[in-house]
Amino acid sequence: MSPTLSQHEALRYIRAKVDQLLTVMGTLPLRAEELDDDTLIALDPIGIIAESFRQVITHLNETNDRLDVTQKEIRAILDTLGAAVVVLDIEDRVEDCNSRASEWFFGGADRTQVAGRLASEVCTCAEALVGVRADADGTPHSLSLHGRDVQVVASRIFNDAGHHTKTVILFTDITQQKDKERHLKLYAEVFRHVGEGILITDADNRIIEINDAITRITGYPRDELIGNTPGSFKSGLHEKSFYEDLWRTLREQGYWQGEIFDRTHAGQIIPLLQSISEVRDAEGVLTHHIAVMTDISSLKETQTRLDFLAHHDVLTELPNRLLFSDRLHHAIERARRDQHPVALLFIDLDRFKNINDSLGHHVGDLLLIEAANRLKGLVRRADTVARLGGDEFVVLLESTASHATAALLAEKIVMAFKQPFTVSGLDLHIGCSIGTTLFPDDGDDAGTLLKNADAAMYRAKETGRDGHVHYSAELSVAMTDKMELDNALRTAVRENSFELYYQPIIDITRGRVVACEALIRWPGGPATARTPDRFIPVAEETRLIVPLGEWILREALERLCAWRDAGLGLDYVSVNISAVQLAQPNFIDRVIALLNETHVAGSELQIELTENVLMGDIELCAWVLAQLREHGIRVAIDDFGTGYSSLSYLKQLPIDNLKIDRSFVRDIPGDPNDCAIATAVIGLAKTLGLDAIAEGIETTEQQAYLAQIGCDKVQGYLHARPMPAANFETFARNF
Ligand code: C2E
Ligand code: MG
Ligand code: MG
């Protein structure tokens, strides 16, 4: 306390005393206020003032001491504060600060070192200080200081005269608090947006909070749930004991997880994966439950569907190979134990490939579904019908299985499949071939039984389709033959033991050999498979046709070139191309390379494709043919009339030539149907601006008729059989 202040206080006290005195004496005409201090002291006639003054001083000293102590206490308090306190005067001089402030703002210098100095001189971040002082109004502000979140409150201090004399600024580090807030905000966001439903109940299991997902999953609006118990969700599908177990586990372990069926607001049952946790306070008293639930309906559906798919064929929904072999294994086990036979029918659709290739996979698929349904309708419930893949089906007969019952069922199926299938408005004739086997006679295990049934089915196919064959040991020999044929073909490709024959294509109006078709021969081939009809399908199956086909092309082109050099001019050589070759990604490149190597122009080559090849992958074909056309290569449709080609497609494909199949030529002119077909095809060719060649002309009558209906190009035994190159040359020169 300043001495003037204490004296002033003392004088005020004395003045009061004197007033009392004067009142008592009533002698002086003056009031104490009117006396100045010196007069007052001098006027102490009876020593009252001096005494009073002494008392006052003593009193003041005591007060001073007390204030000192208080001030020290205040300082200690200020220094232990987590906050920084700075007092600035109105000129921004530091008047006081606590230890936290010296640490934050004054580089550790204590208040005695900074007191009286301008903040801008001593403070490491004076702008913050001064800035805050400028708008000190006692309201808290947040700011970032040294990378921390700080809350600032600045208050102005006024003297008795109401003048602003200083500003006290309080900085509190609220980084942790802010972090907590941020976390809380984050948790709230998670709570709101998480896919799982979260539901919080109080200790009495009343719902106090839910997130949006709960509403999405259960369909309950928020206000129908808050305050209620989760009992509204009960589906009624669980026993009482289920919930009792749930609560017991929850009480014992503080946590429960499991699958539960609940009922939605709309009354629909949904499977949920749910976990419930207890929340307890520091004293261990239960305060809340938190339930997290995931809708697993789609997961369940997927699981069921996956289970089904793993064992069933997607298209027909029949058991697949996996499930079938499982059933077959069990059937054999039972049969072995109970000593009864088991029969197996291996069914393959006839001409399915044609339909698939020509009418497209969609029609093929629908047909397979129809076939599966027809099959299912023919067997008893106890029997298993399965689809092994492609157009292969199997039937497993367990009870009453015998040669006779298997044959009977096979016959029934063959007859049923002779009836056309109506698919996409089309009547499709397919038929089927069946091989049958019996356990234990034709195989002791599932694998052998199935393999032998397959072999029997092949035999059924070979001996004219639409039939059934029971397995016999000789059939295994036939299978072995096929493998041997494949081996022999491979050796033949390697050793180059094929030969190309050429059959002339004759323009009857000009009486000239205008071109030739190259046809492969295998002189050293096995007697049963020497003709291309027999070995080409095997080569296609094993893709050996790719190297073989390349050899054929090269050979034919080289031959054409040699003939040309020798003065034998032909318009083109026609080469048969299989679907497997056409589907090779480098097919076009290979053809072009071969043309270049053999110095043959594109227009001197014609490739022959059957309708089914063309319709197989119409887009691919259209593209390939367009590429070929760009190089001038001619394209002919071989065996025209035997497939399922669509005229509208034909029109879109760059085709030069239709080769009328031999089967329509054979009975000309006797058969009016064939005559009509031949006439129509030739008319069609003319309309589409195509050439037409009649294949398989054997008689002059056939030729005469064809000439009459406008077909001027022919090929057939009437003129020449396919022959070796040298013979062809002679033939063509002398024609
Ligand atoms: P394709 O392309 O329709 O060939 C015509 C077939 O009819 C040839 O049989 C030919 O010898 C035969 N032929 C020709 N004129 C007459 C006739 O007047 N009467 C009778 N009965 N038949 C006649 P080949 O050479 O046995 O060929 C059969 C099939 O094998 C060919 O039918 C073709 O699809 C395929 N093929 C032949 N050579 C090749 C080849 O180099 N590559 C490919 N991918 N397939 C070939
Ligand atoms: Mg041909
Ligand atoms: Mg042909």
Side-chain angles (χ1 to χ4, degrees):
M1 182 176 282
S2 75
T4 35
L5 193 66
S6 62
Q7 220 165 21
H8 178 75
E9 284 289 317
L11 291 173
R12 229 177 53 204
Y13 178 78
I14 292 165
R15 223 172 250 120
K17 287 283 176 199
V18 171
D19 261 351
Q20 275 175 4
L21 187 71
L22 294 182
T23 317
V24 170
M25 296 191 341
T27 50
L28 281 170
L30 289 167
R31 295 201 56 79
E33 290 89 40
E34 293 166 16
L35 301 176
D36 65 29
D37 294 346
D38 290 336
T39 319
L40 203 58
I41 291 165
L43 253 180
D44 188 16
I46 48 175
I48 291 175
I49 295 176
E51 174 53 20
S52 303
F53 190 77
R54 199 190 53 77
Q55 281 177 10
V56 168
I57 293 299
T58 314
H59 173 74
L60 281 178
N61 281 342
E62 281 168 15
T63 312
N64 256 356
D65 286 350
R66 273 207 308 281
L67 276 175
D68 259 1
V69 172
T70 314
Q71 216 170 27
K72 277 198 186 111
E73 280 173 3
I74 288 173
R75 176 140 307 281
I77 291 169
L78 278 180
D79 284 346
T80 49
L81 266 187
V85 184
V86 179
V87 183
L88 294 183
D89 68 12
I90 48 166
E91 282 161 351
D92 289 336
R93 286 179 197 282
V94 178
E95 215 170 75
D96 199 353
C97 70
N98 70 350
S99 57
R100 180 58 51 99
S102 58
E103 189 186 305
W104 283 8
F105 302 114
F106 306 119
D110 75 17
R111 74 195 165 87
T112 54
Q113 293 169 291
V114 295
R117 314 233 346 234
L118 275 171
S120 54
E121 285 170 16
V122 287
C123 181
T124 47
C125 45
E127 330 66 73
L129 274 183
V130 176
V132 171
R133 190 203 43 83
D135 49 16
D137 59 0
T139 48
H141 298 280
S142 292
L143 55 88
S144 173
L145 208 64
H146 303 314
R148 321 228 7 121
D149 290 308
V150 175
Q151 192 187 61
V152 194
V153 189
S155 307
R156 291 184 178 158
I157 307 278
F158 299 89
N159 62 9
D160 288 348
H163 298 301
H164 172 202
T165 53
K166 51 185 113 183
T167 308
V168 179
I169 312 172
L170 191 81
F171 296 85
T172 318
D173 184 349
I174 52 164
T175 310
Q176 271 186 4
Q177 187 187 330
K178 281 271 176 195
D179 281 350
K180 271 187 198 148
E181 272 171 26
R182 273 191 282 268
H183 277 118
L184 279 178
K185 224 166 131 183
L186 198 65
Y187 294 150
E189 286 297 294
V190 172
F191 181 77
R192 226 153 61 84
H193 296 298
V194 74
E196 279 79 20
I198 303 175
L199 177 145
I200 303 171
T201 64
D202 61 13
D204 298 327
N205 208 26
R206 302 252 155 234
I207 300 171
I208 56 166
E209 193 53 86
I210 60 160
N211 68 353
D212 295 349
I214 290 282
T215 303
R216 205 180 53 238
I217 294 170
T218 66
Y220 276 92
R222 183 185 165 80
D223 44 345
E224 269 191 49
L225 290 178
I226 303 293
N228 283 320
T229 70
S232 345
F233 299 146
K234 274 193 183 168
S235 62
L237 286 191
H238 298 285
E239 301 282 326
K240 212 169 139 226
S241 60
F242 174 86
Y243 296 101
E244 285 167 1
D245 284 350
L246 183 158
W247 281 108
R248 188 169 347 98
T249 313
L250 196 57
R251 288 294 166 255
E252 283 168 12
Q253 297 168 15
Y255 182 74
W256 177 89
Q257 187 180 42
E259 283 182 20
I260 192 165
F261 285 104
D262 275 355
R263 192 181 291 276
T264 64
H265 195 246
Q268 193 193 347
I269 305 270
I270 40 162
L272 298 174
L273 178 69
Q274 190 161 329
S275 58
I276 310 176
S277 314
E278 285 187 344
V279 180
R280 291 179 181 276
D281 65 12
E283 277 75 47
V285 177
L286 178 72
T287 57
H288 299 92
H289 296 104
I290 301 179
V292 178
M293 46 187 88
T294 315
D295 181 358
I296 49 171
S297 335
S298 58
L299 202 72
K300 284 260 170 199
E301 275 163 26
T302 316
Q303 219 168 39
T304 320
R305 187 74 193 142
L306 281 179
D307 271 357
F308 183 83
L309 287 184
H311 297 104
H312 291 83
D313 163 46
V314 192
L315 185 66
T316 61
E317 308 222 317
L318 287 178
N320 63 9
R321 185 181 285 273
L322 193 73
L323 181 55
F324 176 75
S325 33
D326 193 53
R327 292 208 183 151
L328 182 56
H329 273 107
H330 285 108
I332 289 176
E333 263 170 39
R334 273 194 297 275
R336 198 172 276 140
R337 196 180 53 223
D338 305 342
Q339 304 232 313
H340 67 72
V342 168
L344 203 66
L345 281 76
F346 198 111
I347 304 152
D348 190 280
L349 305 187
D350 295 335
R351 295 172 280 272
F352 174 73
K353 202 178 165 310
N354 271 1
I355 297 215
N356 216 18
D357 287 350
S358 54
L359 298 177
H361 292 284
H362 178 63
V363 174
D365 284 354
L366 294 176
L367 178 61
L368 285 173
I369 295 171
E370 287 302 311
N373 290 340
R374 199 170 282 189
L375 264 183
K376 272 191 280 187
L378 292 169
V379 302
R380 291 168 308 177
R381 282 180 68 86
D383 305 326
T384 299
V385 180
R387 179 176 173 218
L388 295 188
D391 57 352
E392 291 176 349
F393 296 87
V394 273
V395 175
L396 170 67
L397 296 184
E398 264 204 79
S399 54
T400 71
S402 68
H403 262 289
T405 49
L408 209 67
L409 179 61
E411 187 60 33
K412 229 165 88 180
I413 297 174
V414 167
M415 293 313 287
F417 275 60
K418 277 191 177 160
Q419 301 305 313
F421 286 84
T422 311
V423 170
S424 296
L426 300 166
D427 276 349
L428 303 176
H429 295 264
I430 47 164
C432 68
S433 303
I434 304 179
T436 57
T437 44
L438 207 67
F439 169 87
D441 305 9
D442 306 318
D444 199 35
D445 59 89
T448 314
L449 218 53
L450 201 60
K451 194 183 89 207
N452 290 344
D454 188 15
M457 183 278 293
Y458 259 100
R459 171 48 59 91
K461 276 223 168 173
E462 280 168 7
T463 49
R465 295 166 169 198
D466 280 339
H468 58 96
V469 167
H470 192 86
Y471 173 77
S472 66
E474 303 90 72
L475 286 181
S476 293
V477 178
M479 289 295 274
T480 323
D481 284 353
K482 196 169 162 191
M483 274 166 59
E484 276 171 6
L485 176 59
D486 178 41
N487 277 334
L489 272 173
R490 280 174 198 281
T491 316
V493 168
R494 212 170 37 241
E495 294 175 354
N496 221 343
S497 33
F498 294 99
E499 212 180 307
L500 274 197
Y501 273 35
Y502 299 88
Q503 189 178 31
I505 296 171
I506 291 156
D507 183 332
I508 45 178
T509 51
R510 290 194 282 160
R512 272 195 56 211
V513 175
V514 286
C516 64
E517 176 174 4
L519 294 156
I520 193 164
R521 294 294 176 264
W522 188 13
T528 48
R530 198 165 289 155
T531 60
D533 281 332
R534 302 299 291 273
F535 68 79
I536 292 282
V538 178
E540 285 178 337
E541 215 173 292
T542 59
R543 310 182 70 79
L544 206 62
I545 192 70
V546 175
L548 184 56
E550 171 139 356
W551 176 83
I552 295 166
L553 252 178
R554 178 188 294 278
E555 183 73 18
L557 293 175
E558 279 174 353
R559 186 61 63 194
L560 186 78
C561 183
W563 282 331
R564 194 180 51 203
D565 291 350
L568 176 65
L570 291 175
D571 289 352
Y572 58 86
V573 59
S574 198
V575 178
N576 295 285
I577 298 292
S578 108
V580 181
Q581 285 173 274
L582 199 70
Q584 290 291 302
N586 64 350
F587 176 69
I588 297 163
D589 293 347
R590 288 309 305 148
V591 174
I592 307 304
L594 285 172
L595 284 172
N596 289 337
E597 282 171 40
T598 53
H599 307 291
V600 173
S603 58
E604 291 175 290
L605 170 66
Q606 170 169 280
I607 64 164
E608 293 191 14
L609 303 164
T610 63
E611 280 171 89
N612 293 339
V613 171
L614 286 175
M615 296 297 132
D617 187 341
I618 185 92
E619 269 153 36
L620 175 75
C621 276
W623 186 79
V624 172
L625 297 195
Q627 301 286 305
L628 294 174
R629 165 67 61 88
E630 280 202 355
H631 291 88
I633 298 162
R634 307 164 58 92
V635 177
I637 302 190
D638 204 354
D639 305 343
F640 187 74
T642 58
Y644 283 91
S645 54
S646 130
L647 290 178
S648 61
Y649 279 151
L650 278 186
K651 234 178 77 182
Q652 290 167 27
L653 294 173
I655 292 161
D656 304 277
N657 215 329
L658 292 185
K659 296 189 76 177
I660 306 163
D661 191 62
R662 198 169 71 227
S663 57
F664 302 114
V665 172
R666 195 176 47 217
D667 296 327
I668 282 178
D671 184 335
N673 281 340
D674 283 352
C675 290
I677 292 173
T679 312
V681 172
I682 285 156
L684 171 75
K686 288 234 154 83
T687 325
L688 295 178
L690 309 177
D691 247 358
I693 300 177
E695 290 188 299
I697 310 282
E698 293 184 353
T699 65
T700 43
E701 287 80 15
Q702 289 167 339
Q703 179 162 304
Y705 183 84
L706 288 160
Q708 184 199 321
I709 58 171
C711 176
D712 47 11
K713 295 208 181 60
V714 299
Q715 182 183 345
Y717 293 175
L718 174 65
H719 294 288
R721 290 181 174 254
M723 55 190 129
N727 300 24
F728 177 85
E729 191 178 337
T730 320
F731 176 88
R733 283 190 198 283
N734 299 328
F735 189 75

